[in-house]
Every structure is written in structure tokens, then in C-alpha cells.
Amino acid sequence: MNSYDIAVIGGDGTGPEVTKEALKVSEAIAAKSGFKLNWHHFDFGGDRYLKTGEVLPDSAVDELRKFKAIYLGAVGHPQVKPGILEKGILLRLRFELEQFINLRPVKLFRSQDCPLKDKGPEHVDFIVVRENNEGLYAGAGGYLFKGTPHEVAIQESVNTRRGVDRCLKYAFELAKKQRAGKPWKGLKPEDTSAGKTAQLTLCGKTNVLTYAFDLWFRAFQETGPKYPTVKTEYAHVDAICMWFVKNPEWFDVIVTDNMFGDIITDLAAMIQGGLGVAAGGNINPEGTSMFEPMGGSAPKYTGLNVINPLAAINAAAMMLDFLGEAKAGAAIENAVIKIINTKIQSLAAGKMGYGTREVGDLVAAAL
Ligand code: IPM
Ligand code: MN
């Protein structure tokens, strides 16, 4: 029997509650499919920090490194200054475990959950590949004359050819595999006749960020020909924001840098029904990957059994797929689609018509 060791960081606020439902559903599909999941719980987060002053001990990073997958609920605590837990836990793990891809599938499960007029599940189905280790997140920069009227703050975007190349390679490979054998989903249907099965859009800002995105654009152009079935497109980030709203059906796979990826995936989360369903993976294809619901710790909903656990459950589905249990991952996604379409009133916290635990039970029962 296949067996998987998974590190679990429930984290702050509603993180532990939604994690519980995600683990419940994962257990249910594991039992049905005949594999075993061994959870290893870690208590990192705001409460521990407030008690001990410790965010993430060095030894923990080394311990987590031994796992192929980490499941993360949420980080962010109202009594902890913003940045401490985000940088100390989430970003530190992304960086030190070299999770250089942030993968964000954007899929609308039910028309009524999309705020866009006349758009349905057939229009909103794409995936964003966000570079996850560099760019503005690298922490390069500093102050001059801090605290004086002459203060200067500089924050630099770091883009290495190695970092960009490995991100592009991941995106091209994903585009090639992801859509093989599936219906064409690109800007121009006639391109299918030229043997293209997928479309990869580079999202950048080549007209202003003429160093960073010049590097990205050249690397993109050089990589493209190695993937003859993938049609390449380029769009500026601001235009992408318009098109996500106007024509989300134009997109298939999108690749972009860390900061733009952060921003466009929040917009994308809204058109797929909100943070109640949006999930993501921080991927190191050869090391330790980490899966998380996209929403934060939602402190005001903590302990009320009202938060939507579907994003957390979707993150678990991504994790199982990544571990090699693609059927189990797909079964969870189908169960989620089924209960959204038959039971759930709204995806918003407190408006689902069911409590957090009940939604977890419904998904587990629908498997
Ligand atoms: C995300 C989050 C994080 C980010 C925060 C919590 C540091 O917004 O995963 O998108 O900016 O990457
Ligand atoms: Mn974000």
C-alpha cells in the first residue's frame, strides 16, 4: 500500500479549522483508494510566537525538508505585527525549500459564484504559474536616511536567468501536459490546426520594466520553440487585469513574476468564486512542496464554524495529485463541484447554508 508522510502546519485563525476538514476529506479518499496518509503536525504560527518568541526554528526547516509535501492552513495573527509571520514562516519556507513555483488553478465551479455577467465554468478555467522565489520578494534594497525628511526607500526586483528559465520551463511543461488531449482553450481556435494544443501567456510589463521583463521576454522567446504544441502569447499585466474580467476564456496557462503573480491571482480568485474556493501550491518539483488555501487566517471567523473549507479541501486535492494520486485528487475536485452545485448556497463565510464541519462531511460523503 502506498503511504505518504505529510507535514501539517494548521497555523493561525481559521487555518486549523479548514485544515481539519481538508485532512478529513483526504483521509476519506485515501481509505477508498487504498493508500495511507501519515500526518505530522507542527504548531508554528502566531500563538506559538507570542508564547515563545520563536517564529520558525532553523531545526524546523531541516525537519520539514524531509517531507515531500507540507500542508499549510494559514498564517497571520491580529496580535502580531504584519510581516513577521508571513516572512518568518511562509516566505522563509518558500525560499529555503526552493519552492520556485506558485501554482494557482483558477476554475469556476458554478456560474452564480462568478461576479462577471454571462460567464460560466466554460469561461473561467486557467492556471497561473507564478515565480515564487525572486522578483520584488527577494528582499533586495534598503533605506537611506531612514526616519528623516530625506528618507529614501529602495526595493529592487531580482530576476536571475536561472530563476526565470526554471519557471518558464515548468510553465511550458505544464501547458504541454495539462492540456494534451483536452479541448482547445486559447485565443484563436484556428491555431489548433497548426498542431497547437495549449496556450502559454507571459504576463509582464515590457513597456516600462525594461530590464526585468526584457530578460523574461527573451528567455520566453528562446524557450518557446522547444515546445511546438504550445502557442505563446504576451500580455502586459494591466491588460491582463482587464481581460480577466472581460474575457477570462482567453486564458489557458499564464506565467509571470512573483509580484504580478501575487496580484493577478487575487483577482483571479474572485472570478472563480472567491477565497472560499481558491487554492495554491508552492512547488519544488524535486524537493518539498507546500499546499495552501489562498485565503488568510480570517481571525474574525475563528472558532465560529462558518469559514468555507472548500479552498483548503481543494489544496489537499492538489497535494494528492502532486504526490502521484491523481485519481484521488480528481475525485475530491468532483465531489467539491457536486456539493457546490447541489448543496452550497453561497461560497462566502457564514452564507454557505452549512457550517465548516458540515461542508467537510458533505464533501467526504460525496466522494
Ligand atoms: C499569497 C500571499 C502571500 C504573498 C503573503 C501572505 C506574504 O498573499 O500567498 O499570495 O504575498 O505571497
Ligand atoms: Mn497573495
Side-chain angles (χ1 to χ4, degrees):
M1 193 198 279
N2 282 336
S3 149
Y4 305 95
D5 287 289
I6 296 161
V8 180
I9 306 172
D12 301 317
T14 51
E17 286 167 59
V18 295
T19 297
K20 208 169 161 205
E21 301 315 308
L23 268 47
K24 180 198 282 175
V25 172
S26 304
E27 286 286 343
I29 195 67
K32 269 202 148 67
S33 319
F35 59 87
K36 198 170 171 335
L37 297 166
N38 311 307
W39 310 108
H40 302 257
H41 292 269
F42 294 84
D43 67 350
F44 306 119
D47 287 335
R48 180 182 161 127
Y49 170 69
L50 291 171
K51 247 184 266 150
T52 68
E54 195 168 53
V55 182
L56 191 69
D58 294 341
S59 61
V61 180
D62 289 325
E63 210 178 321
L64 291 169
R65 205 187 289 284
K66 295 180 194 141
F67 294 90
K68 209 167 149 39
I70 302 171
Y71 186 90
L72 176 70
V75 291
H77 193 293
Q79 278 140 265
V80 180
K81 194 175 157 224
I84 293 181
L85 300 168
E86 293 85 343
K87 281 188 160 176
I89 300 177
L90 183 62
L91 298 184
R92 180 152 178 228
L93 290 176
R94 286 180 183 173
F95 281 51
E96 288 198 29
L97 300 177
E98 270 199 79
Q99 295 163 344
F100 62 88
I101 297 294
N102 191 307
L103 198 58
R104 286 274 302 104
V106 180
K107 215 171 188 175
L108 175 63
F109 295 137
R110 175 177 65 174
S111 301
Q112 77 183 64
D113 298 319
C114 182
L116 308 177
K117 195 167 140 274
D118 301 331
K119 299 293 178 192
E122 70 277 28
H123 301 105
V124 181
D125 181 9
F126 58 86
I127 186 156
V128 180
V129 178
R130 162 185 171 189
E131 201 291 321
N132 210 30
N133 279 178
E134 303 191 337
L136 283 168
Y137 280 66
Y143 299 104
L144 286 172
F145 315 117
K146 190 176 176 190
T148 75
H150 299 276
E151 178 162 353
V152 180
I154 298 175
Q155 193 97 41
E156 289 159 315
S157 175
V158 176
N159 299 265
T160 69
R161 185 63 201 240
R162 168 182 172 263
V164 169
D165 274 341
R166 68 182 177 179
C167 179
L168 290 173
K169 180 170 178 230
Y170 188 92
F172 272 105
E173 291 287 337
L174 179 76
K176 183 177 139 184
K177 277 185 229 133
Q178 181 88 352
R179 301 290 175 189
K182 291 187 191 160
W184 167 254
K185 218 199 145 292
L187 281 174
K188 298 180 187 116
E190 62 271 23
D191 289 324
T192 44
S193 58
K196 310 279 187 195
T197 60
Q199 173 182 271
L200 179 64
T201 307
L202 172 65
C203 163
K205 189 73 186 172
T206 51
N207 52 350
V208 177
L209 306 181
T210 50
Y211 308 121
F213 281 100
D214 179 55
L215 188 158
W216 274 87
F217 194 77
R218 277 183 285 116
F220 188 62
Q221 279 186 317
E222 284 167 34
T223 314
K226 292 184 200 148
Y227 297 88
T229 60
V230 179
K231 179 179 191 302
T232 53
E233 285 282 343
Y234 170 82
H236 294 321
V237 62
D238 46 350
I240 286 217
C241 289
M242 295 195 303
W243 290 332
F244 271 9
V245 175
K246 190 169 165 280
N247 296 100
E249 66 278 9
W250 283 356
F251 297 98
D252 185 2
V253 181
I254 298 163
V255 63
T256 190
D257 84 343
N258 209 341
M259 188 77 255
F260 290 166
D262 179 45
I263 296 167
I264 67 171
T265 56
D266 266 25
L267 175 55
M270 288 302 121
I271 65 175
Q272 77 177 117
L275 293 175
V277 286
N282 303 275
I283 313 288
N284 175 339
E286 273 127 43
T288 306
S289 296
M290 181 164 73
F291 299 83
E292 46 170 343
M294 270 202 36
S297 55
K300 68 175 177 189
Y301 295 126
T302 305
L304 302 178
N305 195 39
V306 296
I307 194 84
N308 186 343
L310 292 173
I313 293 169
N314 287 335
M318 280 183 84
M319 179 174 76
L320 294 182
D321 181 74
F322 172 82
L323 288 170
E325 300 290 346
K327 269 194 185 154
I332 293 180
E333 186 180 295
N334 288 333
V336 167
I337 293 174
K338 189 171 159 200
I339 77 126
I340 287 178
N341 282 293
T342 56
K343 307 272 184 193
I344 305 289
Q345 280 165 23
S346 154
L347 298 175
K351 297 184 182 153
M352 297 183 289
Y354 298 89
T356 306
R357 286 188 294 274
E358 290 68 39
V359 173
D361 290 339
L362 284 169
V363 177
L367 286 167

